[in-house]
């Protein structure tokens, strides 16, 4: 069954360190999303890609966060330096072009200590 | 005003009852609406999509959409304890292909 792959599943890092998350969307899905979900809240969109281009990164804290999807397939989200408030679940989702029917990966649970 | 609003709950219903979950959204131009189920510690799972006014049924789930009143709802018939989860409403606001989520409603189904 096709699914969105994410790694790592869990990450513990010290504040001020760098951390990176990886996502491989469902094959053929040109649209890729990164969301952040704080406990008790709904997912918040950080960045949206269409192929290798950023469509929306208006909610991405660009002083410390970066995202890339160089070949239009898999994607990396980086945080440098990590802060305590970055502790959250980072979710990757993908959809077909022209559809917002998005499917999520299992997520990466980040804890910053 | 939040763009997508849901009552946080918890909504508690007895096993076998109908659970009714509601969601309102801010933008009249929205065309695509989704319900996701999220178990504690897991990622959201898509369970229903709806694009036209009216009802859409899939097994025990019925999604209802009223664009004039800007609300979408999810009915779960014959609720089971395994339905206990947080239900997230998601809307493609302004048809921009950007999926915006509500904060979710926690559902508890009592055996």
């Amino acid at each position: 069954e096709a699914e969105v792959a994410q790694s790592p599943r869990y990450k513990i890092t010290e504040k001020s360190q760098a951390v990176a998350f990886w996502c491989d969307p469902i094959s053929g899905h040109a649209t890729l999303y990164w969301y952040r979900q704080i406990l008790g809240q709904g997912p918040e969109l950080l960045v949206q890609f269409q192929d290798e281009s950023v469509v929306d990164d208006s909610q991405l804290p660009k002083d410390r966060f970066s995202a890339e999807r160089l070949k239009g397939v898999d994607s990396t989200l980086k945080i440098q330096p990590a802060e305590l408030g970055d502790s959250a679940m980072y979710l990757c989702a993908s959809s077909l072009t022209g559809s917002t029917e998005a499917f999520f990966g299992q997520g990466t649970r980040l804890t910053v200590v | 005003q939040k763009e997508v609003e849901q009552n946080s709950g918890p909504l508690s219903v007895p096993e076998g009852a109908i659970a009714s979950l509601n969601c309102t959204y801010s933008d009249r131009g929205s065309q695509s609406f989704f319900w996701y189920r999220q178990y504690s510690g897991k990622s959201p799972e898509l369970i229903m999509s709806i694009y036209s006014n009216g009802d859409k049924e899939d097994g025990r789930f019925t999604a209802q959409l009223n664009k004039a009143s800007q609300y979408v709802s999810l009915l779960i018939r014959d609720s089971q304890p395994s339905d206990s989860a947080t239900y997230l409403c998601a809307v493609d606001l302004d048809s921009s292909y950007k999926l915006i989520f509500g904060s979710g409603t926690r559902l508890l189904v009592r055996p």
Side-chain angles (χ1 to χ4, degrees), chain B residues 34-50:
Chain B
F34 306 91
W35 284 98
Y36 287 79
R37 178 176 62 199
Q38 187 172 30
Y39 292 112
S40 181
K42 304 295 185 182
S43 63
E45 172 193 9
L46 179 64
I47 54 172
M48 289 288 288
S49 59
I50 187 166

Side-chain angles (χ1 to χ4, degrees), chain A residues 35 37 45 48 56 102 105, chain B residues 36 38 43 46 51 97-99:
Chain A
Y35 285 87
Q37 187 176 25
L45 181 65
Q48 178 182 348
D56 188 315
Chain B
Y36 287 79
Q38 187 172 30
S43 63
L46 179 64
Y51 305 96
Y97 299 109
K98 188 168 71 173
L99 206 54

Side-chain angles (χ1 to χ4, degrees), chain B residues 63-74:
Chain B
Q64 299 175 318
L65 175 60
N66 184 324
K67 290 184 180 179
S69 300
Q70 295 176 236
Y71 83 78
V72 57
S73 61
L74 179 70

Side-chain angles (χ1 to χ4, degrees), chain B residues 57-68:
Chain B
E57 188 174 318
D58 184 0
R60 295 186 297 113
F61 299 102
T62 298
Q64 299 175 318
L65 175 60
N66 184 324
K67 290 184 180 179

Side-chain angles (χ1 to χ4, degrees), chain A residues 10-32:
Chain A
Y10 304 94
K11 180 72 177 178
I12 299 174
T13 190
E14 293 183 346
K15 64 180 181 179
S16 79
Q17 296 298 304
V19 63
F21 314 125
W22 177 81
C23 172
D24 191 12
I26 293 171
S27 179
H29 282 196
T31 306
L32 185 147

Side-chain angles (χ1 to χ4, degrees), chain A residues 33 35 37 40-43 45 48 56 58 89 91 98-106 109, chain B residues 32 34 36 38 41-46 49 51 88 92 96-104:
Chain A
Y33 310 84
Y35 285 87
Q37 187 176 25
Q41 299 181 19
L45 181 65
Q48 178 182 348
D56 188 315
S58 57
M89 173 84 88
L91 295 160
S99 170
T100 35
E101 195 166 284
F103 299 90
F104 283 85
Q106 292 185 306
R109 170 73 65 187
Chain B
S32 305
F34 306 91
Y36 287 79
Q38 187 172 30
K42 304 295 185 182
S43 63
E45 172 193 9
L46 179 64
S49 59
Y51 305 96
L88 297 162
D92 177 9
S96 60
Y97 299 109
K98 188 168 71 173
L99 206 54
I100 303 300
F101 284 81
S103 57

